[in-house]
Amino acid sequence: MTKNNVYIETYGCQMNVADSELVMGILQKKGYQLTSEADNANIILLNTCSVRDNAEQRIYGRLGNLKKYKDQNPQTVIGILGCMAERLREDLVESKKMVDLVVGPDEYRRLPELIDTAFTGEKGIGVKLSRTETYDDIIPFREDGLSAWISVMRGCDKFCTFCVVPFTRGRERSRNLESVVDEIKQLSERGFREVSLLGQNVNSYNDNGRDFADLLAAAANVDRLIRVRFTTSHPQDLSDKLLYTIAEHPNLCNYIHLPVQSGSDRILKLMNRTYTVEHYLNIIEKARKIIPGVSFSTDIISGFPTETYEDHIMTLDVMQNVQYDGAYMFKYSPREGTKAYKIDDDVPEETKAKRLNDIIDLQQSISYEINQKMIDKDEVVLVEGQSKKSDQFLAGRTDTNKVVIFPVNDEIKTGDYVKVKINRATSATLFGDLIEVVNPSGEKISLTA
Ligand code: SAH
Ligand code: SF4
Ligand code: F3S
């Protein structure tokens, strides 16, 4: 084993996926080797999430498994990065003696130095948040592939009352527009076909007056063969300009992740979401007018403090009303330090679970119905490779992010755009037959079908 072999495991949201690539970029530049096996590593890093209690419990469980590496080789450095590092700070090394390194999201530049500290037997701790750090100049380490995540902003200023993110990620700040565009150019040269621009609330992107719509337009113009996705949009800040920009560029995906969280105005207010259900539904209606065929996904929390059965029914009503393509659905988990933590967590666990089940069941039936309506339609699909279940089938995605499975064809390779006629659908997957390879060079070819 060479001295500096790094293994990193990533939990939580896509921001963490992007951050792990930054971390690998930083370490590789300093001469560290990256390894995909913990067995080969003498530095083991967990990039962690604090958003719900079960996310943290998972990390504690994983630390338990990692103890064997420490037992085999006491020189092994075990590090916690990301949101849990920021939330728990020094307490983490106090409570978990085997942790040598605790580094929050704004201190990754110092990782090489902090790893050196850990090798001397001291604890390496870096948990300051920054108002300016965007890692603009750092080239993330990415394997070759089709799809890349790009953080375009960091932090969050919204302070939804249930959420730890403003505490773990600090204040909102945007990357420079040109640096994002340059990154997409590099990915284009490497044959990437999809980029997802990430921020906790991308609609408040602001680079010296250039807003998120400006960034999206610039991103779309880099390479017409690259599909551009983005997440997350906060309903308060979604502008008409953004909707028109999406409508105008065929390679900006017609898909908006617009978390509603609850269908009750009273609960939304307690959550400090700063919009009403009416405002939310107006945005959906407007978006559907401006971007024909646009689809939506959402996040929903069940059992926020004081949530009544009536509030819960209102959430189901919003889901019926909007007809989301997909949803991420969670039980409320109290987080220390947040405002909601001070409100009694009075919805019994059983009720939270029951309501969550109602929400999941409803979403599944909505997804199924939406997918059934796609039968006999032609969809433009970006081919991602063989289907997981069979080498006789290929898998790809529509611009609304639905998985499409169709029979293999020698003419077609990963990264091609093809037109597929849908002939069957479940709530999660579409199946179809290939119609033609869409020639990507002619302007006549629309990437959105
Ligand atoms: N910035 C994004 C999401 C960040 S966290 C946004 O504003 O939508 C992702 C999702 O986790 C949130 O949308 C919310 O639905 C959920 N979440 C956050 N804190 C939570 C908590 N304490 N309990 C349960 N779910 C939570
Ligand atoms: Fe959390 Fe709200 Fe910020 Fe999203 S917008 S990260 S839910 S505080
Ligand atoms: Fe989790 Fe932090 Fe993302 S708390 S959801 S990893 S921003």
Side-chain angles (χ1 to χ4, degrees):
M1 194 193 326
T2 54
K3 187 173 163 261
N4 289 326
N5 264 344
V6 183
Y7 168 77
I8 181 163
E9 227 168 67
T10 308
Y11 297 81
C13 65
Q14 278 80 23
M15 304 255 171
N16 264 9
V17 175
D19 277 1
S20 287
E21 292 175 344
L22 273 176
V23 164
M24 290 191 279
I26 291 168
L27 292 178
Q28 206 189 32
K29 206 168 161 212
K30 290 274 176 186
Y32 292 79
Q33 312 269 336
L34 306 175
T35 164
S36 53
E37 305 281 338
D39 286 316
N40 301 332
N42 60 333
I43 302 163
I44 298 178
L45 304 175
L46 304 183
N47 193 3
T48 62
C49 173
S50 282
V51 80
R52 283 167 292 274
D53 184 57
N54 56 12
E56 293 194 345
Q57 293 313 322
R58 230 177 122 199
I59 299 296
Y60 288 128
R62 185 63 181 128
L63 276 176
N65 305 140
L66 292 177
K67 194 167 171 301
K68 64 172 190 247
Y69 296 106
K70 196 88 179 168
D71 291 343
Q72 280 161 16
N73 174 12
Q75 291 298 311
T76 305
V77 166
I78 307 248
I80 300 285
L81 314 182
C83 291
M84 239 174 120
E86 196 58 51
R87 195 176 85 79
L88 300 168
R89 302 170 168 229
E90 284 85 349
D91 292 352
L92 204 53
V93 288
E94 289 301 313
S95 67
K96 298 282 155 197
K97 295 278 183 238
M98 64 182 283
V99 172
D100 307 291
L101 196 63
V102 178
V103 187
D106 287 347
E107 294 255 56
Y108 294 148
R109 282 179 203 271
R110 289 181 59 213
L111 255 175
E113 167 206 332
L114 293 166
I115 290 174
D116 285 345
T117 308
F119 274 127
T120 68
E122 285 187 33
K123 304 289 182 186
I125 296 176
V127 289
K128 277 210 200 78
L129 287 170
S130 158
R131 285 185 173 264
T132 53
E133 179 63 274
T134 57
Y135 301 108
D136 252 349
D137 55 315
I138 294 195
I139 302 167
F141 171 84
R142 291 194 180 96
E143 307 272 357
D144 284 332
L146 277 191
S147 214
W149 305 101
I150 302 181
S151 284
V152 301
M153 34 189 320
R154 302 184 71 83
C156 181
D157 286 352
K158 287 282 176 209
F159 288 95
C160 303
T161 57
F162 51 79
C163 185
V164 286
V165 173
F167 304 95
T168 62
R169 297 254 160 190
R171 297 291 56 75
E172 196 172 274
R173 64 216 101 113
S174 300
R175 267 178 75 176
N176 165 276
L177 185 144
E178 282 75 23
S179 83
V180 176
V181 167
D182 282 348
E183 200 170 328
I184 301 174
K185 278 186 187 147
Q186 289 170 23
L187 292 166
S188 155
E189 279 157 18
R190 287 176 62 189
F192 277 75
R193 284 284 190 270
E194 183 181 67
V195 296
S196 302
L197 308 186
L198 302 175
Q200 293 300 349
N201 172 20
V202 286
N203 299 332
S204 56
Y205 177 88
N206 180 354
D207 174 30
N208 291 311
R210 292 179 295 182
D211 64 13
F212 189 61
D214 298 329
L215 176 66
L216 270 187
N221 285 335
V222 172
D223 178 349
R224 289 282 163 204
L225 287 184
I226 290 189
R227 275 181 173 172
V228 181
R229 301 185 183 279
F230 59 96
T231 197
T232 297
S233 294
H234 191 291
Q236 188 200 324
D237 310 321
L238 198 132
S239 70
D240 291 6
K241 180 177 167 191
L242 180 75
L243 298 175
Y244 284 109
T245 305
I246 297 171
E248 195 182 310
H249 295 266
N251 58 331
L252 292 183
C253 289
N254 292 346
Y255 178 94
I256 305 177
H257 183 60
L258 196 68
V260 69
Q261 312 295 0
S262 167
S264 153
D265 284 341
R266 187 182 68 81
I267 295 291
L268 287 173
K269 194 151 196 230
L270 283 176
M271 288 177 162
N272 189 32
R273 288 291 290 184
T274 69
Y275 52 84
T276 59
V277 172
E278 190 189 357
H279 173 83
Y280 183 92
L281 293 175
N282 282 339
I283 296 176
I284 300 269
E285 201 185 310
K286 194 163 30 167
R288 287 198 162 127
K289 273 195 199 124
I290 296 175
I291 315 167
V294 66
S295 65
F296 295 93
S297 59
T298 196
D299 293 350
I300 293 176
I301 298 177
S302 82
F304 187 83
T306 77
E307 185 187 75
T308 62
Y309 181 70
E310 285 69 33
D311 294 319
H312 168 59
I313 296 298
M314 290 187 231
T315 298
L316 299 178
D317 284 348
V318 169
M319 294 172 69
Q320 282 288 13
N321 204 322
V322 176
Q323 298 278 304
Y324 294 106
D325 273 48
Y328 300 92
M329 302 156 282
F330 315 100
K331 277 188 284 185
Y332 171 67
S333 167
R335 311 307 291 138
E336 205 175 345
T338 61
K339 265 203 168 153
Y341 191 75
K342 296 187 195 126
I343 319 176
D344 184 23
D345 179 23
D346 60 352
V347 180
E349 179 59 29
E350 216 176 292
T351 311
K352 280 184 194 168
K354 163 83 180 66
R355 289 180 188 167
L356 180 64
N357 275 336
D358 292 350
I359 290 168
I360 292 172
D361 287 349
L362 175 59
Q363 183 53 46
Q364 204 164 359
S365 74
I366 292 172
S367 298
Y368 181 80
E369 287 302 318
I370 290 179
N371 286 355
Q372 291 306 306
K373 285 190 196 137
M374 294 184 70
I375 292 175
D376 290 335
K377 292 209 169 123
D378 294 350
E379 285 290 319
V380 172
V381 172
L382 170 58
V383 181
E384 292 180 355
Q386 259 177 24
S387 119
K388 275 187 213 132
K389 291 197 182 137
S390 158
D391 59 8
Q392 295 305 301
F393 289 86
L394 292 170
R397 270 172 213 270
T398 66
D399 92 325
T400 56
N401 216 13
K402 290 177 187 296
V403 175
V404 180
I405 307 288
F406 58 99
V408 281
N409 181 308
D410 292 343
E411 313 268 292
I412 293 167
K413 57 185 187 317
T414 299
D416 285 346
Y417 288 95
V418 296
K419 207 178 256 180
V420 174
K421 186 182 271 310
I422 307 303
N423 57 30
R424 185 163 74 83
T426 66
S427 65
T429 314
L430 304 171
F431 300 85
D433 288 314
L434 177 75
I435 302 175
E436 60 190 341
V437 180
V438 191
N439 178 352
S441 56
E443 270 307 309
K444 262 199 242 155
I445 280 81
S446 146
L447 298 181
T448 52

mmCIF file of all heavy atoms in Angstrom, residues 7-31:
data_model
loop_
_atom_site.group_PDB
_atom_site.id
_atom_site.type_symbol
_atom_site.label_atom_id
_atom_site.label_comp_id
_atom_site.label_asym_id
_atom_site.label_seq_id
_atom_site.Cartn_x
_atom_site.Cartn_y
_atom_site.Cartn_z
ATOM 1 N N TYR A 7 -9.935 6.739 -0.028
ATOM 2 C CA TYR A 7 -11.223 6.166 -0.396
ATOM 3 C C TYR A 7 -12.298 7.090 0.149
ATOM 4 O O TYR A 7 -12.233 7.518 1.295
ATOM 5 C CB TYR A 7 -11.350 4.779 0.226
ATOM 6 C CG TYR A 7 -12.739 4.209 0.151
ATOM 7 C CD1 TYR A 7 -13.218 3.671 -1.037
ATOM 8 C CD2 TYR A 7 -13.569 4.209 1.276
ATOM 9 C CE1 TYR A 7 -14.507 3.148 -1.104
ATOM 10 C CE2 TYR A 7 -14.852 3.685 1.211
ATOM 11 C CZ TYR A 7 -15.307 3.155 0.018
ATOM 12 O OH TYR A 7 -16.581 2.649 -0.046
ATOM 13 N N ILE A 8 -13.282 7.428 -0.681
ATOM 14 C CA ILE A 8 -14.336 8.341 -0.210
ATOM 15 C C ILE A 8 -15.718 7.768 -0.520
ATOM 16 O O ILE A 8 -15.947 7.225 -1.598
ATOM 17 C CB ILE A 8 -14.139 9.764 -0.789
ATOM 18 C CG1 ILE A 8 -15.214 10.729 -0.297
ATOM 19 C CG2 ILE A 8 -14.082 9.787 -2.299
ATOM 20 C CD1 ILE A 8 -14.837 12.189 -0.496
ATOM 21 N N GLU A 9 -16.578 7.865 0.470
ATOM 22 C CA GLU A 9 -17.943 7.364 0.331
ATOM 23 C C GLU A 9 -18.882 8.552 0.500
ATOM 24 O O GLU A 9 -18.685 9.352 1.409
ATOM 25 C CB GLU A 9 -18.205 6.384 1.477
ATOM 26 C CG GLU A 9 -18.831 5.091 1.077
ATOM 27 C CD GLU A 9 -18.781 4.095 2.240
ATOM 28 O OE1 GLU A 9 -19.460 4.329 3.262
ATOM 29 O OE2 GLU A 9 -18.052 3.108 2.137
ATOM 30 N N THR A 10 -19.912 8.634 -0.337
ATOM 31 C CA THR A 10 -20.741 9.835 -0.352
ATOM 32 C C THR A 10 -22.184 9.537 0.026
ATOM 33 O O THR A 10 -22.790 8.622 -0.519
ATOM 34 C CB THR A 10 -20.696 10.479 -1.750
ATOM 35 O OG1 THR A 10 -19.330 10.636 -2.111
ATOM 36 C CG2 THR A 10 -21.381 11.821 -1.773
ATOM 37 N N TYR A 11 -22.718 10.326 0.938
ATOM 38 C CA TYR A 11 -24.105 10.210 1.388
ATOM 39 C C TYR A 11 -24.811 11.537 1.123
ATOM 40 O O TYR A 11 -24.153 12.548 0.904
ATOM 41 C CB TYR A 11 -24.140 9.913 2.895
ATOM 42 C CG TYR A 11 -23.504 8.585 3.217
ATOM 43 C CD1 TYR A 11 -22.118 8.460 3.313
ATOM 44 C CD2 TYR A 11 -24.275 7.444 3.382
ATOM 45 C CE1 TYR A 11 -21.522 7.244 3.570
ATOM 46 C CE2 TYR A 11 -23.690 6.224 3.646
ATOM 47 C CZ TYR A 11 -22.314 6.122 3.746
ATOM 48 O OH TYR A 11 -21.728 4.915 3.995
ATOM 49 N N GLY A 12 -26.154 11.531 1.201
ATOM 50 C CA GLY A 12 -26.893 12.790 1.120
ATOM 51 C C GLY A 12 -27.206 13.198 -0.304
ATOM 52 O O GLY A 12 -27.378 12.355 -1.176
ATOM 53 N N CYS A 13 -27.249 14.496 -0.522
ATOM 54 C CA CYS A 13 -27.777 15.000 -1.794
ATOM 55 C C CYS A 13 -26.695 15.100 -2.860
ATOM 56 O O CYS A 13 -25.524 14.844 -2.614
ATOM 57 C CB CYS A 13 -28.434 16.353 -1.561
ATOM 58 S SG CYS A 13 -27.279 17.629 -1.037
ATOM 59 N N GLN A 14 -27.103 15.544 -4.053
ATOM 60 C CA GLN A 14 -26.170 15.656 -5.182
ATOM 61 C C GLN A 14 -25.062 16.653 -4.911
ATOM 62 O O GLN A 14 -23.980 16.551 -5.476
ATOM 63 C CB GLN A 14 -26.920 16.074 -6.449
ATOM 64 C CG GLN A 14 -27.604 14.935 -7.162
ATOM 65 C CD GLN A 14 -28.911 14.586 -6.508
ATOM 66 O OE1 GLN A 14 -29.488 15.429 -5.818
ATOM 67 N NE2 GLN A 14 -29.376 13.378 -6.692
ATOM 68 N N MET A 15 -25.333 17.618 -4.040
ATOM 69 C CA MET A 15 -24.276 18.578 -3.693
ATOM 70 C C MET A 15 -23.092 17.842 -3.095
ATOM 71 O O MET A 15 -21.946 18.210 -3.307
ATOM 72 C CB MET A 15 -24.737 19.495 -2.580
ATOM 73 C CG MET A 15 -25.952 20.179 -2.891
ATOM 74 S SD MET A 15 -25.499 21.827 -3.265
ATOM 75 C CE MET A 15 -27.057 22.320 -3.858
ATOM 76 N N ASN A 16 -23.408 16.835 -2.311
ATOM 77 C CA ASN A 16 -22.338 16.059 -1.715
ATOM 78 C C ASN A 16 -21.607 15.238 -2.773
ATOM 79 O O ASN A 16 -20.395 15.059 -2.687
ATOM 80 C CB ASN A 16 -22.881 15.148 -0.607
ATOM 81 C CG ASN A 16 -22.732 15.778 0.764
ATOM 82 O OD1 ASN A 16 -22.377 16.945 0.874
ATOM 83 N ND2 ASN A 16 -22.986 15.001 1.801
ATOM 84 N N VAL A 17 -22.344 14.754 -3.746
ATOM 85 C CA VAL A 17 -21.699 14.019 -4.841
ATOM 86 C C VAL A 17 -20.712 14.955 -5.539
ATOM 87 O O VAL A 17 -19.542 14.620 -5.760
ATOM 88 C CB VAL A 17 -22.749 13.491 -5.851
ATOM 89 C CG1 VAL A 17 -22.082 12.828 -7.040
ATOM 90 C CG2 VAL A 17 -23.716 12.530 -5.165
ATOM 91 N N ALA A 18 -21.186 16.180 -5.831
ATOM 92 C CA ALA A 18 -20.313 17.163 -6.484
ATOM 93 C C ALA A 18 -19.142 17.534 -5.566
ATOM 94 O O ALA A 18 -18.002 17.676 -6.027
ATOM 95 C CB ALA A 18 -21.120 18.399 -6.865
ATOM 96 N N ASP A 19 -19.405 17.668 -4.275
ATOM 97 C CA ASP A 19 -18.330 18.022 -3.340
ATOM 98 C C ASP A 19 -17.280 16.917 -3.244
ATOM 99 O O ASP A 19 -16.088 17.201 -3.124
ATOM 100 C CB ASP A 19 -18.894 18.307 -1.943
ATOM 101 C CG ASP A 19 -19.413 19.734 -1.817
ATOM 102 O OD1 ASP A 19 -19.352 20.472 -2.816
ATOM 103 O OD2 ASP A 19 -19.873 20.098 -0.716
ATOM 104 N N SER A 20 -17.719 15.666 -3.279
ATOM 105 C CA SER A 20 -16.741 14.576 -3.226
ATOM 106 C C SER A 20 -15.817 14.646 -4.437
ATOM 107 O O SER A 20 -14.628 14.365 -4.337
ATOM 108 C CB SER A 20 -17.440 13.214 -3.181
ATOM 109 O OG SER A 20 -18.023 13.024 -1.910
ATOM 110 N N GLU A 21 -16.366 15.046 -5.578
ATOM 111 C CA GLU A 21 -15.520 15.193 -6.767
ATOM 112 C C GLU A 21 -14.529 16.342 -6.607
ATOM 113 O O GLU A 21 -13.392 16.257 -7.060
ATOM 114 C CB GLU A 21 -16.397 15.386 -8.010
ATOM 115 C CG GLU A 21 -17.181 14.114 -8.325
ATOM 116 C CD GLU A 21 -18.174 14.251 -9.475
ATOM 117 O OE1 GLU A 21 -18.514 15.393 -9.867
ATOM 118 O OE2 GLU A 21 -18.613 13.214 -9.986
ATOM 119 N N LEU A 22 -14.976 17.401 -5.920
ATOM 120 C CA LEU A 22 -14.064 18.506 -5.616
ATOM 121 C C LEU A 22 -12.935 18.025 -4.707
ATOM 122 O O LEU A 22 -11.757 18.313 -4.943
ATOM 123 C CB LEU A 22 -14.803 19.603 -4.845
ATOM 124 C CG LEU A 22 -15.542 20.683 -5.589
ATOM 125 C CD1 LEU A 22 -16.263 21.576 -4.584
ATOM 126 C CD2 LEU A 22 -14.567 21.520 -6.399
ATOM 127 N N VAL A 23 -13.341 17.304 -3.667
ATOM 128 C CA VAL A 23 -12.362 16.792 -2.706
ATOM 129 C C VAL A 23 -11.344 15.897 -3.424
ATOM 130 O O VAL A 23 -10.124 16.028 -3.223
ATOM 131 C CB VAL A 23 -13.085 16.014 -1.576
ATOM 132 C CG1 VAL A 23 -12.120 15.151 -0.779
ATOM 133 C CG2 VAL A 23 -13.810 16.987 -0.661
ATOM 134 N N MET A 24 -11.843 15.037 -4.300
ATOM 135 C CA MET A 24 -10.920 14.155 -5.028
ATOM 136 C C MET A 24 -10.004 14.972 -5.940
ATOM 137 O O MET A 24 -8.829 14.665 -6.084
ATOM 138 C CB MET A 24 -11.696 13.108 -5.821
ATOM 139 C CG MET A 24 -12.370 12.089 -4.910
ATOM 140 S SD MET A 24 -13.028 10.676 -5.805
ATOM 141 C CE MET A 24 -14.559 11.327 -6.417
ATOM 142 N N GLY A 25 -10.575 16.039 -6.532
ATOM 143 C CA GLY A 25 -9.764 16.929 -7.372
ATOM 144 C C GLY A 25 -8.644 17.569 -6.556
ATOM 145 O O GLY A 25 -7.482 17.602 -6.970
ATOM 146 N N ILE A 26 -9.003 18.058 -5.373
ATOM 147 C CA ILE A 26 -8.023 18.724 -4.496
ATOM 148 C C ILE A 26 -6.929 17.733 -4.083
ATOM 149 O O ILE A 26 -5.735 18.029 -4.159
ATOM 150 C CB ILE A 26 -8.724 19.305 -3.238
ATOM 151 C CG1 ILE A 26 -9.612 20.480 -3.638
ATOM 152 C CG2 ILE A 26 -7.715 19.699 -2.165
ATOM 153 C CD1 ILE A 26 -10.566 20.964 -2.542
ATOM 154 N N LEU A 27 -7.341 16.545 -3.675
ATOM 155 C CA LEU A 27 -6.365 15.577 -3.151
ATOM 156 C C LEU A 27 -5.495 15.012 -4.270
ATOM 157 O O LEU A 27 -4.284 14.843 -4.106
ATOM 158 C CB LEU A 27 -7.085 14.457 -2.391
ATOM 159 C CG LEU A 27 -7.757 14.909 -1.090
ATOM 160 C CD1 LEU A 27 -8.492 13.753 -0.427
ATOM 161 C CD2 LEU A 27 -6.731 15.517 -0.115
ATOM 162 N N GLN A 28 -6.113 14.744 -5.416
ATOM 163 C CA GLN A 28 -5.331 14.182 -6.516
ATOM 164 C C GLN A 28 -4.236 15.158 -6.950
ATOM 165 O O GLN A 28 -3.104 14.765 -7.204
ATOM 166 C CB GLN A 28 -6.257 13.870 -7.681
ATOM 167 C CG GLN A 28 -5.695 12.768 -8.548
ATOM 168 C CD GLN A 28 -6.497 12.596 -9.811
ATOM 169 O OE1 GLN A 28 -7.061 13.563 -10.346
ATOM 170 N NE2 GLN A 28 -6.559 11.380 -10.300
ATOM 171 N N LYS A 29 -4.591 16.428 -6.981
ATOM 172 C CA LYS A 29 -3.611 17.443 -7.378
ATOM 173 C C LYS A 29 -2.420 17.465 -6.424
ATOM 174 O O LYS A 29 -1.302 17.795 -6.804
ATOM 175 C CB LYS A 29 -4.301 18.813 -7.397
ATOM 176 C CG LYS A 29 -3.628 19.770 -8.333
ATOM 177 C CD LYS A 29 -4.444 20.992 -8.584
ATOM 178 C CE LYS A 29 -3.523 22.087 -9.122
ATOM 179 N NZ LYS A 29 -3.938 23.406 -8.729
ATOM 180 N N LYS A 30 -2.663 17.101 -5.185
ATOM 181 C CA LYS A 30 -1.593 17.069 -4.179
ATOM 182 C C LYS A 30 -0.866 15.730 -4.172
ATOM 183 O O LYS A 30 -0.105 15.437 -3.248
ATOM 184 C CB LYS A 30 -2.177 17.315 -2.785
ATOM 185 C CG LYS A 30 -2.648 18.711 -2.581
ATOM 186 C CD LYS A 30 -1.511 19.620 -2.128
ATOM 187 C CE LYS A 30 -2.032 21.047 -2.021
ATOM 188 N NZ LYS A 30 -0.981 22.009 -1.730
ATOM 189 N N GLY A 31 -1.177 14.872 -5.124
ATOM 190 C CA GLY A 31 -0.431 13.615 -5.235
ATOM 191 C C GLY A 31 -1.042 12.417 -4.536
ATOM 192 O O GLY A 31 -0.431 11.350 -4.488
#
